Amino acid sequence: MSPLDTAPPVEADEKTVALVGPPNVGKSTLFNGLTGGRAKIGNYPGVTVEFAEGQLGEARIIDLPGIASLTPRGADSRVTLDVIGGRSEALPRPDMLVIVLDAGQLRRQMPFAREVLALGIPSIVALNMSDLAMRDGFVFDTGALSTALGVPVFATTAPRKAGRTAIGEAIELGRAAISKSDLAPAKELTELAVTAEPAETKAGAADRILLHPVAGLAILTAVLFLVFQSVFAFAAWPMEQIEAGAAALAGLVEAAVPEGWLQSLLVDGIIAGVGSVVIFLPQILILFFFLLVLEMSGYMARAAFLTDELMRRAGLSGRAVIPLLSSFACAIPGMMAARTMEGERDRLVTILVAPLMTCSARLPVYAVLIAAFVPATKTGPLSTQGLVLFGLYLAAVVSGLVVALALKKFVAPGARQTLIMELPSYKWPQPQDLALGLWRRSVVFLRRAGTIIFTVSVVLWFLISYPGDTLRESFAGRLGGLIEPLFKPIGFTLEMVIALVPGLAAREVAVGALGTVYAVQNAEENEAGLAAVLQNEWSLAAALAFLAWYVFAPQCISTIAVARRETNSWKWTWFMVGYLFALAYLAAGITYWTARVFGA
Amino acid sequence: MQAFFPLSQSKLRAPARIVSFRGDEALTAQLQEQGFATGETVEVQSRGLFGGSPLAVRLGRTVIALRKSEADALMVEPV
């Protein structure tokens, strides 16, 4: 038998076990499986940008960002190297490593495994996704590899429980071992482990089409387009239910609480404020669903492939595509995903441009204004509202490329850029991983709605309701009046300015704030949704200007804080905030006056 | 006909064997990390629309995206 059976167990007292492996070997799925998905991960969905931490029995399991070698390539891989080198401040040096490899790619990944084993940390090797490899005709001899390495080797199947039991037990029992000091060359090791191999696989038929220079780009455009259409099409029903629920709740409160300030606070303040934001949960989940599917299926890397040359001409690194696409969900994971980039200058430009990508918090703002001002008709077979939304996203991409080009030219020139990126094989997204990702996103969104937006709604209700009878006499009106002159030239009304100020904390708060502003003002007729109210109250030119403002304005405290952390520089952070506000003001102004010329 | 040529000039879906690396050391090291090694067989699967960059290169069971300048660093011969 292999030497692992005789290896003395490592002390079983709160061991730290780290999963290390190259990118795209199914490490995160294995981690979710081992820890039952109860991981502590910041609040960030998508790619592994920080380590996730979970529990397996007594062991503390850590999932580290993927690395291809022990040479640092980007801030992300430095995190992993610091942890396994015992140089991390956040984590102790792991007691045990689980080296996760793609069973179907051992020849390519064995040098990496050797390099890691040579560190002398007790290890277990997992040949992951072995079921897929075996289906393709591979046959493995884990015993032979285990003997040759001197550490336990398991064939694992990340998603299925049966394929994880053995390795889970080995981790819990501390069966890891330090490898032999005189390891055979990688080539020999691979030959020992792989006893049968399929004939060279021909390229996937899917990539023939999906990576086709013309068809591939057309399909990418169509995919993104469909995503934005779906955001409107599929969300309508759940949104109606939430709206009806909020109205029913308001009715109950009106019946139960006597007319007066308390009823007004509950109905006009809290239900109108929080409700007008929560209603966008279905749209945000639909958007995230598609982004997670694109990411998990391996299509995201194809999107990066197809757009790389355009990105390069805009002065961005090809690897910037993934951080920037993630920024469509939220700029925060996007900025953090930029850690995988090697060149510091490339990374800086990517971070500075990330807030321009249309994050999901803008969706509530766009959606309410589109619902109010764009007729729900069809343009050909497509919904006009979906088209406008697509246009706003397109505006973000174009402005992002233009800004990147300008930054590269004038602000942050230089640096060699490489692409060299694996295009992972296509995989069906695991329903559990998908559900987990969406669940995490919902929690973040609802927590924000329950805390920040709740607080803003209450405070704003007070500031709007007192003193006096009109908005202009109230505290909020007087405060808004102070900065109103600044925004008058670009067509913003007092109500818009009042909504903008709390909206500085987070974009979607502005919708909640508008909900409260108009609910208090029109207390008698507040059955109509916010969109209907805005339609009556705002001119088309002002609405378009507001939309244009939102394409650019960096209205998110968290993003600014993360930009500060990721760039480690206040100078660049203020530069980012400054240029974005300047663009927002210009864009809103130009939009307003152009619309006025055309009589809107 | 020339025996060796850079991978960037290889025909679509024509297998080629890596004979040597050229270009700077850092780039060579990065390519080797991904599994490119002399003697390995590679095959260009697809090329980008603009300027034929990037290239999707099959290496064993993996497909790796390389920019034209990176694929230029791999000298290959037809198999």
Side-chain angles (χ1 to χ4, degrees):
Chain A
M1 270 305 286
S2 52
L4 52 121
D5 289 343
T6 53
V10 182
E11 209 33 63
D13 185 37
E14 176 66 5
K15 301 171 303 245
T16 305
V17 180
L19 301 189
V20 290
N24 307 314
V25 296
K27 213 157 48 64
S28 296
T29 305
L30 183 65
F31 170 84
N32 283 342
L34 285 172
T35 58
R38 287 178 297 277
K40 284 189 275 174
I41 300 186
N43 288 326
Y44 312 115
V47 277
T48 319
V49 282
E50 285 204 313
F51 50 82
E53 182 181 334
Q55 205 70 27
L56 173 68
E58 296 284 301
R60 176 186 187 197
I61 313 274
I62 293 157
D63 184 17
L64 293 169
I67 48 171
S69 78
L70 295 187
T71 314
R73 304 227 177 268
D76 201 19
S77 67
R78 237 165 270 137
V79 172
T80 304
L81 294 173
D82 281 351
V83 172
I84 60 180
R87 293 183 301 273
S88 166
E89 282 167 25
L91 289 168
R93 187 185 170 113
D95 301 297
M96 189 199 293
L97 295 181
V98 178
I99 302 171
V100 188
L101 306 174
D102 178 349
Q105 299 197 39
L106 285 186
R107 187 147 45 114
R108 191 171 150 244
Q109 297 180 350
M110 197 58 85
F112 164 81
R114 273 183 95 248
E115 217 182 342
V116 176
L117 285 168
L119 292 172
I121 303 172
S123 301
I124 293 177
V125 172
L127 309 186
N128 204 24
M129 308 196 281
S130 57
D131 51 337
L132 298 179
M134 273 148 56
R135 195 192 59 198
D136 289 351
F138 275 89
V139 180
F140 301 106
D141 186 345
T142 52
L145 181 60
S146 176
T147 311
L149 296 177
V151 308
V153 177
F154 294 94
T156 53
T157 56
R160 267 186 289 287
K161 192 156 198 253
R164 291 193 309 260
T165 318
I167 195 166
E169 276 173 20
I171 293 170
E172 285 196 75
L173 294 172
R175 284 262 169 78
I178 296 175
S179 77
K180 291 180 173 174
S181 52
D182 53 340
L183 287 172
K187 207 169 173 163
E188 274 175 45
L189 292 170
T190 311
E191 278 159 13
L192 281 173
V194 182
T195 52
E197 199 173 349
E200 295 256 295
T201 39
K202 275 290 153 201
D207 270 344
R208 278 208 176 195
I209 303 165
L210 295 177
L211 292 185
H212 187 275
V214 181
L217 272 174
I219 291 169
L220 175 64
T221 316
V223 165
L224 295 177
F225 194 78
L226 275 177
V227 169
F228 297 123
Q229 289 277 321
S230 321
V231 163
F232 267 96
F234 300 152
W237 186 81
M239 286 174 76
E240 279 163 24
Q241 304 312 305
I242 295 176
E243 197 168 7
L249 189 63
L252 282 178
V253 172
E254 276 169 353
V257 181
E259 207 166 306
W261 70 269
L262 184 61
Q263 192 201 70
S264 169
L265 170 64
L266 292 173
V267 174
D268 302 332
I270 296 168
I271 298 176
V274 175
S276 55
V277 179
V278 169
I279 194 171
F280 294 102
L281 183 63
Q283 291 190 327
I284 286 175
L285 288 184
I286 290 169
L287 180 65
F288 263 88
F289 172 82
F290 283 112
L291 284 173
L292 284 172
V293 168
L294 293 184
E295 171 81 45
M296 290 173 175
S297 63
Y299 189 71
M300 200 73 115
R302 269 74 181 180
F305 177 89
L306 291 166
T307 49
D308 176 71
E309 184 61 16
L310 285 179
M311 300 291 276
R312 193 187 66 78
R313 290 187 188 182
L316 277 166
S317 151
R319 286 176 179 262
V321 176
I322 291 169
L324 292 181
L325 279 178
S326 315
S327 298
F328 278 100
C330 172
I332 291 169
M335 284 178 172
M336 289 169 62
R339 288 178 188 177
T340 56
M341 297 172 65
E342 218 180 316
E344 277 304 310
R345 288 272 149 175
D346 289 343
R347 184 168 161 239
L348 178 65
V349 172
T350 308
I351 291 173
L352 294 178
V353 175
L356 277 171
M357 300 301 119
T358 310
C359 71
S360 56
R362 284 180 177 91
L363 201 49
V365 183
Y366 289 178
V368 80
L369 289 174
I370 288 175
F373 291 96
V374 179
T377 53
K378 299 246 171 198
T379 305
L382 305 162
S383 115
T384 313
Q385 298 187 331
L387 273 174
V388 172
L389 187 67
F390 188 70
L392 285 166
Y393 277 75
L394 210 60
V397 173
V398 171
S399 58
L401 292 180
V402 171
V403 169
L405 197 60
L407 287 176
K408 267 283 174 185
K409 230 182 181 106
F410 303 111
V411 188
R416 185 178 71 106
Q417 304 169 15
T418 56
L419 177 64
I420 313 189
M421 177 185 65
E422 187 183 342
L423 300 177
S425 52
Y426 291 104
K427 289 184 204 71
W428 285 107
Q430 292 301 318
Q432 303 97 306
D433 289 352
L434 203 53
L436 209 61
L438 288 179
W439 167 247
R440 285 190 187 133
R441 194 63 222 169
S442 312
V443 169
V444 172
F445 180 77
L446 290 176
R447 191 184 292 148
R448 277 235 291 239
T451 54
I452 304 181
I453 295 168
F454 179 87
T455 314
V456 165
S457 300
V458 172
V459 172
L460 202 62
W461 171 84
F462 175 79
L463 292 178
I464 290 169
S465 300
Y466 301 101
D469 290 328
T470 66
L471 182 63
R472 201 162 279 284
E473 285 172 32
S474 69
F475 291 123
R478 290 179 205 184
L479 289 173
L482 290 179
I483 50 170
E484 196 188 1
L486 195 61
F487 287 95
K488 204 149 206 167
I490 59 171
F492 285 16
T493 63
L494 183 61
E495 287 85 357
M496 290 157 96
V497 173
I498 291 173
L500 269 191
V501 174
L504 288 176
R507 295 180 177 88
E508 68 272 32
V509 176
V511 173
L514 285 173
T516 303
V517 169
Y518 286 109
V520 173
Q521 273 198 320
N522 312 332
E524 282 77 51
E525 70 240 57
N526 67 3
E527 308 85 54
L530 182 57
V533 175
L534 294 182
Q535 206 174 353
N536 287 331
E537 301 276 346
W538 290 15
S539 70
L540 178 59
L544 292 176
F546 202 71
L547 277 177
W549 171 269
Y550 261 86
V551 171
F552 298 100
Q555 305 204 121
C556 176
I557 296 284
S558 323
T559 302
I560 295 170
V562 171
R564 160 75 184 87
R565 196 181 73 200
E566 295 293 316
T567 59
N568 197 23
S569 150
W570 277 116
K571 191 188 94 183
W572 285 115
T573 309
W574 287 123
F575 173 80
M576 183 188 89
V577 173
Y579 99 78
L580 288 170
F581 271 128
L583 281 180
Y585 195 86
L586 266 173
I590 291 170
T591 308
Y592 180 70
W593 289 106
T594 311
R596 285 286 297 271
V597 167
F598 286 99
Chain B
M1 199 195 124
Q2 200 185 347
F4 301 159
F5 48 89
L7 179 62
S8 54
Q9 290 170 21
S10 180
K11 283 205 195 84
L12 269 192
R13 287 181 278 279
R17 190 178 296 112
I18 301 174
V19 288
S20 64
F21 293 85
R22 55 175 198 178
D24 65 77
E25 271 174 48
L27 181 58
T28 303
Q30 218 180 332
L31 288 167
Q32 284 172 341
E33 238 169 58
Q34 290 295 325
F36 290 103
T38 47
E40 292 281 352
T41 305
V42 290
E43 196 182 290
V44 176
Q45 303 282 319
S46 176
R47 281 192 169 86
L49 177 61
F50 312 100
S53 180
L55 296 90
V57 179
R58 187 174 60 76
L59 168 71
R61 282 165 56 85
T62 321
V63 181
I64 296 168
L66 296 178
R67 282 191 173 160
K68 204 169 173 190
S69 57
E70 293 150 10
D72 266 339
L74 290 164
M75 291 301 282
V76 297
E77 60 179 2
V79 173

